[in-house]
């Protein structure tokens, strides 16, 4: 076959047809109309359900937000009213005014309000979230079961934290102590400078700050509630006149009760309770007074100071109690109670010789008999 014939045959052969026409990949107007009809039909069939769900969700969120705001505002007003009532009641009472200071009321109300507001928000918002998920027809049983298991695990893992938090809540709600109180918490003691839900800060006698976990406190001794007692023991000689001692102590108590600032710290008269103990060479007189909380130590020091000065002026000697040292001039003669020496104490006296046992002479008699033989 010639080359011209081959070329003519190749040119005359038809070109291969494309597998798909480009026009077939573009959706037609009819397809678009059909999809729009389906979407409209689906929306027409379900719009009422979705609208109801949306309105229900919006209503739940609105009610939850309004309820949360109302509850938080009510809690705030309640705490403010409690503070005003406490301040008003303590204004006419010396005891209440001294115990409930402004900082203590502020911290206590702040802590109580924070706890109540947090609890209210958690309950309201948590309930609203569950209701919203229920509106979307979400099965809450697995979620609640998982939350319960997680809560148990967290409770076991952070039991100390939970214990501290719950103990702090009850301490604050029961007003066991507050800022400015002097307390003995067992593990530490000092003045309360801050009360928290988990930790309480105490300032010790040497200025140190103790951080005490509320869950570790098993007992609380509050030295700033009610009143305190100032007790002074005065040890005098057993030969002192008790009437003179009582008269001197009464004069000291009367003068101290009228002097500033002790007249405000003393909430009762200084009383001479009487003899606390009587020993061979001394006796102890007990003096007591009811004082402002936390001021008993200062009152005791001032009372000792005044008693010592008054006793010096009244020529009443204060001795050292059980180990009292008595003056040598007034001390009795230690040999006064000793009997006179006996005649038997002299080994050469006739009384001692006559009192010798008879058995001591037997060897001598037997020797004489042997010699006579």
């Amino acid at each position: 076959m010639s080359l011209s014939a081959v070329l003519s045959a190749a040119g005359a052969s038809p070109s291969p047809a494309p597998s798909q026409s480009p026009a077939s990949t573009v959706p037609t107007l009819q397809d678009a109309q059909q999809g729009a009809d389906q979407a409209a039909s689906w929306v027409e069939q379900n719009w009422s359900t979705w609208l109801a769900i949306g309105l229900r969700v919006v209503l739940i969120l609105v009610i939850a937000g309004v309820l949360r705001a109302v509850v938080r505002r009510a809690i705030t007003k309640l705490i403010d009213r409690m503070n005003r009532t406490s301040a008003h009641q303590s204004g006419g009472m010396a005891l209440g005014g001294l115990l409930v200071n402004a900082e203590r009321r502020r911290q206590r109300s702040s802590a109580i309000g924070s706890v109540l507001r947090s609890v209210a928000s958690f309950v309201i918002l948590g309930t609203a979230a569950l209701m919203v998920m229920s509106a979307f027809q979400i099965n809450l049983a697995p979620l609640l079961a998982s939350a319960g298991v997680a809560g148990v695990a967290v409770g076991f893992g952070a039991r100390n934290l939970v214990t501290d938090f719950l103990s702090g809540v009850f301490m604050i709600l029961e007003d066991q102590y507050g800022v400015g109180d002097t307390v003995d918490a067992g593990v530490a003691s000092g003045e309360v400078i801050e009360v928290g839900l988990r930790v309480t800060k105490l300032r010790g006698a040497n200025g140190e700050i103790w951080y005490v976990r509320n869950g570790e406190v098993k007992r609380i001794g509050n030295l700033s509630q009610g009143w305190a007692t100032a007790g002074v023991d005065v040890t005098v000689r057993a030969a002192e006149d008790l009437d003179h001692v009582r008269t001197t102590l009464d004069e000291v108590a009367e003068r101290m009760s009228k002097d500033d600032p002790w007249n405000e710290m003393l909430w009762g008269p200084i009383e001479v309770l009487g003899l606390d103990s009587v020993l061979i060479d001394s006796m102890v007189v007990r003096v007591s007074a009811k004082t402002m909380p936390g001021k008993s130590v200062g009152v005791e020091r001032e009372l000792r100071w005044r008693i010592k000065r008054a006793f010096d002026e009244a020529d009443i000697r204060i001795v050292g109690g059980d180990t009292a040292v008595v003056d040598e001039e007034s001390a009795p003669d230690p040999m006064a109670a000793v009997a006179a020496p006996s005649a038997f104490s002299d080994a050469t006296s006739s009384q001692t010789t006559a009192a010798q046992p008879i058995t001591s002479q037997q060897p001598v008699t037997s020797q004489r008999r042997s010699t006579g033989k």
Side-chain angles (χ1 to χ4, degrees):
M1 178 180 289
S2 62
L3 180 60
S4 59
V6 173
L7 293 175
S8 61
S13 62
S15 61
S19 60
Q20 186 177 3
S21 176
S24 61
T25 59
V26 179
T28 61
L29 182 60
Q30 184 177 2
D31 296 336
Q33 184 177 2
Q34 184 178 1
D37 292 340
Q38 293 177 357
S41 176
W42 183 84
V43 171
E44 184 179 1
Q45 293 176 0
N46 298 282
W47 73 270
S48 58
T49 303
W50 285 102
L51 181 61
I53 293 175
L55 291 177
R56 185 178 178 182
V57 170
V58 172
L59 183 62
I60 291 173
L61 295 178
V62 170
I63 293 177
V66 173
L67 183 61
R68 178 174 177 269
V70 171
V71 171
R72 289 173 65 91
R73 184 176 180 84
I75 291 174
T76 303
K77 287 187 175 181
L78 178 63
I79 296 300
D80 293 340
R81 183 176 299 177
M82 290 174 58
N83 289 336
R84 288 196 301 268
T85 303
S86 177
H88 177 71
Q89 291 178 354
S90 63
M93 298 174 57
L95 176 62
L98 292 169
L99 289 181
V100 187
N101 53 55
E103 181 63 19
R104 173 174 179 171
R105 289 198 306 269
R106 186 193 67 79
Q107 285 204 9
R108 182 169 181 262
S109 61
S110 176
I112 294 176
S114 176
V115 171
L116 294 179
R117 283 190 291 267
S118 299
V119 171
S121 299
F122 178 77
V123 172
I124 294 173
L125 296 181
T127 304
L130 294 177
M131 294 178 66
V132 168
M133 287 188 291
S134 177
F136 284 105
Q137 297 182 355
I138 299 175
N139 189 9
L140 300 179
L143 181 62
L144 295 178
S146 302
V149 173
V152 172
V154 171
F156 277 108
R159 58 184 180 275
N160 291 333
L161 180 62
V162 175
T163 302
D164 296 341
F165 181 82
L166 294 178
S167 299
V169 169
F170 283 107
M171 286 178 181
I172 293 174
L173 292 178
E174 296 173 1
D175 195 18
Q176 297 180 7
Y177 56 83
V179 176
D181 290 351
T182 302
V183 300
D184 181 5
V187 294
S189 60
E191 181 182 355
V192 179
I193 59 176
E194 184 177 347
V195 180
L197 294 177
R198 193 182 68 87
V199 175
T200 298
K201 294 182 182 179
L202 304 177
R203 183 175 295 280
N206 297 325
E208 70 276 10
I209 296 180
W210 297 95
Y211 294 86
V212 181
R213 287 173 41 202
N214 296 329
E216 293 182 348
V217 178
K218 304 302 180 183
R219 61 165 178 83
I220 286 289
N222 197 326
L223 306 179
S224 301
Q225 286 185 353
W227 44 268
T229 301
V232 176
D233 293 332
V234 183
T235 306
V236 297
R237 295 179 298 183
E240 294 290 345
D241 185 5
L242 288 178
D243 294 334
H244 186 37
V245 173
R246 178 181 287 274
T247 302
T248 306
L249 292 176
D250 290 339
E251 293 176 357
V252 171
E254 184 178 358
R255 288 196 301 267
M256 186 173 176
S257 301
K258 296 179 181 180
D259 294 343
D260 294 330
W262 311 109
N263 53 358
E264 297 181 357
M265 297 182 184
L266 292 171
W267 287 0
I270 301 176
E271 300 178 351
V272 181
L273 302 181
L275 287 177
D276 193 66
S277 63
V278 179
L279 305 175
I280 296 177
D281 54 357
S282 64
M283 55 185 177
V284 179
V285 182
R286 181 73 173 177
V287 182
S288 178
K290 185 181 294 185
T291 67
M292 180 190 305
K295 302 298 182 181
S296 60
V297 176
V299 173
E300 289 176 356
R301 292 171 179 171
E302 180 67 18
L303 191 57
R304 292 191 188 98
W305 184 282
R306 292 173 178 253
I307 289 175
K308 178 63 172 63
R309 294 180 59 182
F311 277 15
D312 291 342
E313 295 176 359
D315 196 19
I316 300 175
R317 181 176 176 81
I318 298 178
V319 295
D322 296 342
T323 58
V325 179
V326 186
D327 294 340
E328 295 181 358
E329 297 179 357
S330 60
D333 185 6
M335 301 300 295
V338 179
S342 174
F344 293 98
S345 61
D346 187 2
T348 62
S349 63
S350 58
Q351 293 88 344
T352 303
T353 304
Q356 291 294 330
I358 299 176
T359 57
S360 62
Q361 299 178 0
Q362 289 179 359
V364 179
T365 305
S366 60
Q367 184 179 4
R368 288 179 180 176
R369 289 178 180 179
S370 61
T371 304
K373 288 181 181 182

